[in-house]
Amino acid sequence: MERLAQISSQTTGSIAAPPRPVHPLDPLSIEEISAITAVVKNHFAGRQISFNTVTLREPTKKAFLEWKEQGGAFPPRNAYYVILEAGVPGVKEGIVSVNHLSVIEVKSLEQVQPILTVEDLISTEDIIRKDPRVIEQCVISGIPANEMHKVYCDPWTIGFDERWGAGRRLQQALMYYRSDEDDSQYSHPLDFCPIVDTEEKKVIFIDVPNRRRKVSKHKHSNFNPKDMIEKYGTLRTDGKPIDITQPEGVSFKMDGNVISWSNFNIHIGFNYREGIVLSDISYNDHGNVRPLFHRISLSEMIVPYGSPDFPHQRKHALDIGEYGAGYMTNPLALGCDCKGVIHYLDAHFADRAGDPITVKHAVCIHEEDDGLLQKHSDFRDNFATSIVTRATKLIISQIFTAANYEYCIYWVFMQDGTIKLDVKLTGILNTYVLADGEESGPWGTKVYPGVNAHNHQHLFALRLHPRIDGDGNSVCTSDACSAEAPVGSPENMYGNGFYAKRTVFKTVADSETNYESSTGRTWDFFNPKKLNPYSGKPVSYKLVSAQCPPLLAKPGALVYKRAPWANTTIKVVPFKEDRLYPSGDHVP
Ligand code: ABN
């Protein structure tokens, strides 16, 4: 990998300085994006570049905390960019100083491929429809050549295929047929897979299976309301409306991107890749502002599929690093995606040309009733002495579409101090065609005539940077264990002793641990220097992550190499600036 580091002192007088944001972690504004891409274009003047990524390079933790906690200066405002240059393999990435409107870092990286943008994905469908060899394969599949407008593809990054290595920006096109543009294509998968070079804009190969399977002749299995009415005669009418009323408005306060709610204080950021990023989370404990987390985000995910048959072994989506939970985020609609009194935040990115694009209402912030928070009654007076407190929860959410799936991401804050990440998976299964009379075999399930849904997992990397009552936190496993001492021994005479066994991690290797159902294992993040006044034990947050088998692919499998983090429930590593992504910076 060639690495060129260069500092430019070139400033660009003609570019208007964008207004300074209120908070150092605020995402780049539209004005900032325009200024940054203009600076980059000037820097690379005369070369044919296109933008892949323009995003905030967050200030260092040190600079941020000096500003936040010690009255220091507003940290330098920097942006990270990734560009492609026509005819030049790999990417260029670097840093723009927004304060000085100049490029302050450029690196050329060969043998890496950047994230796919929505523009990249859309271009693939045009390319395959026009390719004569793809048309030929469609005809073999039973689709007339004049119906190419009914042929669709979900373009996935190729990940890695030894035939081409890492030097080209390749997509594998998972193929489908729609008889009508409103059809669900997933009930009509095709059996072959074109490989497309995104930058050369051409099909370079087609993977054709030995056993050919024609496109299904069954009616499409559709999901639009009109299709439901056609199938069932009516939409369901048995659900009566539930109205949410908040006559006095919400209990949270927004100050730009900073929310305060029920003693929590949180900065809400958003980027092309992780989507929502929550930073500088603290809790006001009767006037004592206690830091909890420096930064939390969903930093990666993987959806490995379980069919070893070629070319399905390539099917494993690192949807955050390969496509971006930000780039694929949906504009949210009141009454549909969220109900009640909503505060929305928009998201801004740069398109290939460097122009700002906006997703309206990308982040939804609202409250929901959460049942009981606390109750206690006194049995002595027939439960007449009773206190009941209702709970409200705060939800910061987004929804992104990863081709066939929707991931609904809910960051939930509760009044008992719990911070919870709920991920609701919806959308449609990814499918492959079955020939007439063919069974799905062990690697999938027949979900419709002619349709095989391959086995798969959804694994998420939750990145947590705890600062429980300040820095210097430690982590341990906490296992519910029977007392070691035998029954009849002085320490455990009656054999009923049990306790929470805490095992503190001393090395990274120690920390690579899995959920253990027999002990109901959890993990404690704790501050060894801050003790609870009653228990005398360190103050802590407990991580609960259960019921999730780790990666099922075997060690040595490609997915195992690409998502090493997915093999254990938790891994604790020392903090390093800009080490944000556990599958690497340029995942495709
Ligand atoms: N799940 C793979 C994927 C995501 C987004 C776009 C295309 C493909």
Side-chain angles (χ1 to χ4, degrees):
M1 185 188 301
E2 183 204 355
R3 291 186 120 214
L4 273 182
Q6 120 192 12
I7 306 286
S8 164
S9 56
Q10 173 193 359
T11 46
T12 31
S14 58
I15 299 166
R20 196 181 86 166
V22 180
H23 191 284
L25 298 175
D26 285 353
L28 296 176
S29 65
I30 294 176
E31 295 80 6
E32 286 179 314
I33 292 172
S34 298
I36 292 156
T37 57
V39 167
V40 175
K41 281 182 203 169
N42 273 356
H43 186 89
F44 291 95
R47 291 151 82 170
Q48 210 186 321
I49 62 162
S50 54
F51 289 87
N52 172 268
T53 302
V54 177
T55 195
L56 176 70
R57 167 55 58 96
E58 291 173 20
T60 62
K61 180 178 174 189
K62 185 167 174 289
F64 175 74
L65 291 179
E66 273 169 14
W67 169 80
K68 179 71 203 297
E69 294 180 351
Q70 291 158 37
F74 196 92
R77 184 86 170 154
N78 290 333
Y80 167 72
Y81 66 87
V82 178
I83 55 169
L84 294 148
E85 185 174 356
V88 179
V91 298
K92 289 185 180 53
E93 63 173 16
I95 304 292
V96 168
S97 160
V98 184
N99 305 115
H100 299 111
L101 292 178
S102 68
V103 172
I104 58 170
E105 193 180 302
V106 183
K107 281 184 201 159
S108 291
L109 304 176
E110 286 179 12
Q111 299 292 317
V112 301
Q113 302 304 333
I115 196 165
L116 287 174
T117 65
V118 176
E119 279 171 288
D120 296 328
L121 300 175
I122 290 172
S123 72
T124 301
E125 210 155 63
D126 296 336
I127 295 166
I128 54 126
R129 280 185 182 149
K130 291 188 195 119
D131 186 274
R133 288 159 305 168
V134 175
I135 299 172
E136 188 181 58
Q137 289 303 322
C138 287
V139 172
I140 294 170
S141 296
I143 300 165
N146 64 358
E147 289 201 357
M148 286 309 291
H149 58 288
K150 299 184 177 178
V151 172
Y152 290 76
C153 74
D154 279 358
W156 291 39
T157 70
I158 199 160
F160 187 78
D161 187 312
E162 45 285 311
R163 288 171 293 176
W164 298 286
R168 294 171 84 169
R169 194 157 182 242
L170 301 181
Q171 298 183 37
Q172 47 179 328
L174 274 46
M175 303 291 295
Y176 305 93
Y177 173 74
R178 298 186 195 177
S179 54
D180 177 277
E181 70 177 345
D182 287 340
D183 280 342
S184 167
Q185 64 195 30
Y186 300 102
S187 60
H188 285 64
L190 306 183
D191 70 347
F192 60 95
C193 182
I195 310 297
V196 173
D197 186 314
T198 313
E199 296 311 303
E200 289 179 18
K201 305 210 175 311
K202 64 177 193 212
V203 175
I204 63 159
F205 197 79
I206 304 181
D207 281 324
V208 179
N210 293 334
R211 176 175 185 178
R212 296 311 305 258
R213 297 163 174 92
K214 295 239 180 231
V215 64
S216 160
K217 291 206 163 52
H218 288 275
K219 200 172 159 23
H220 276 75
S221 172
N222 291 334
F223 50 80
N224 284 323
K226 67 175 167 48
D227 304 302
M228 295 295 110
I229 293 169
E230 191 189 316
K231 198 163 169 189
Y232 300 111
T234 171
L235 294 178
R236 281 181 70 162
T237 52
D238 52 343
K240 302 290 175 240
I242 296 181
D243 288 326
I244 316 280
T245 52
Q246 292 172 272
E248 294 175 36
V250 294
S251 329
F252 58 83
K253 264 217 283 312
M254 296 296 305
D255 180 9
N257 281 52
V258 175
I259 185 167
S260 28
W261 176 82
S262 197
N263 302 321
F264 278 107
N265 214 266
I266 309 152
H267 180 274
I268 307 173
F270 195 91
N271 68 47
Y272 73 106
R273 184 152 173 173
E274 299 154 287
I276 292 170
V277 175
L278 302 175
S279 301
D280 195 26
I281 303 173
S282 63
Y283 191 87
N284 188 330
D285 186 359
H286 301 276
N288 177 19
V289 176
R290 303 175 66 178
L292 298 179
F293 289 88
H294 178 59
R295 190 183 191 278
I296 61 183
S297 70
L298 205 50
S299 64
E300 194 48 272
M301 57 174 286
I302 187 157
V303 187
Y305 284 76
S307 168
D309 301 336
F310 182 87
H312 309 303
Q313 87 290 349
R314 271 196 319 240
K315 220 162 73 174
H316 53 269
L318 290 129
D319 285 307
I320 291 180
E322 291 182 327
Y323 313 93
Y327 276 161
M328 295 184 302
T329 212
N330 291 197
L332 302 176
L334 182 63
C336 304
D337 298 306
C338 345
K339 281 180 90 167
V341 180
I342 311 291
H343 184 90
Y344 291 107
L345 299 174
D346 298 342
H348 310 294
F349 312 112
D351 67 10
R352 223 179 143 100
D355 295 324
I357 42 178
T358 294
V359 177
K360 287 290 293 171
H361 295 178
V363 179
C364 163
I365 303 163
H366 77 297
E367 294 166 294
E368 286 178 13
D369 180 89
D370 196 26
L372 276 188
L373 179 63
Q374 207 259 356
K375 177 173 169 103
H376 184 62
S377 305
D378 197 326
F379 66 85
R380 293 168 189 81
D381 62 2
N382 239 350
F383 312 106
T385 308
S386 183
I387 59 119
V388 188
T389 312
R390 289 213 57 92
T392 302
K393 60 185 177 185
L394 173 75
I395 304 170
I396 303 167
S397 64
Q398 69 166 116
I399 300 176
F400 66 90
T401 301
N404 53 305
Y405 280 126
E406 267 66 28
Y407 293 95
C408 314
I409 309 294
Y410 302 98
W411 295 96
V412 185
F413 288 77
M414 300 182 181
Q415 288 168 315
D416 63 1
T418 301
I419 303 172
K420 184 173 168 194
L421 171 61
D422 271 340
V423 182
K424 186 180 281 185
L425 175 68
T426 174
I428 307 168
L429 289 163
N430 172 279
T431 55
Y432 189 63
V433 55
L434 286 171
D436 280 346
E438 185 183 5
E439 291 308 318
S440 59
W443 318 122
T445 304
K446 187 173 181 175
V447 291
Y448 193 66
V451 185
N452 190 0
H454 287 148
N455 303 341
H456 61 286
Q457 298 183 272
H458 296 261
L459 298 162
F460 298 87
L462 169 66
R463 184 181 181 280
L464 298 166
H465 183 153
R467 270 190 94 217
I468 314 295
D469 268 348
D471 286 315
N473 289 185
S474 290
V475 185
C476 64
T477 45
S478 174
D479 292 293
C481 290
S482 306
E484 271 88 28
V487 185
S489 66
E491 300 86 1
N492 193 20
M493 181 62 71
Y494 301 100
N496 61 309
F498 63 84
Y499 71 117
K501 178 176 178 181
R502 297 200 167 80
T503 313
V504 179
F505 302 144
K506 298 208 168 59
T507 65
V508 173
D510 283 354
S511 75
E512 293 184 85
T513 46
N514 278 316
Y515 177 64
E516 178 51 62
S517 60
S518 65
T519 62
R521 176 171 288 169
T522 56
W523 291 263
D524 292 351
F525 303 137
F526 61 95
N527 188 327
K529 297 206 191 86
K530 298 281 164 74
L531 304 184
N532 177 282
Y534 306 117
S535 69
K537 292 185 177 157
V539 295
S540 65
Y541 250 77
K542 185 177 278 302
L543 174 73
V544 179
S545 175
Q547 294 177 342
C548 181
L551 193 64
L552 294 167
K554 285 198 186 297
L558 179 59
V559 271
Y560 197 94
K561 290 185 192 137
R562 298 191 71 208
W565 51 269
N567 184 42
T568 55
T569 312
I570 186 173
K571 177 169 177 170
V572 184
V573 294
F575 171 66
K576 198 165 135 212
E577 285 295 345
D578 303 329
R579 172 155 68 183
L580 292 176
Y581 304 123
S583 280
D585 288 345
H586 299 288
V587 178

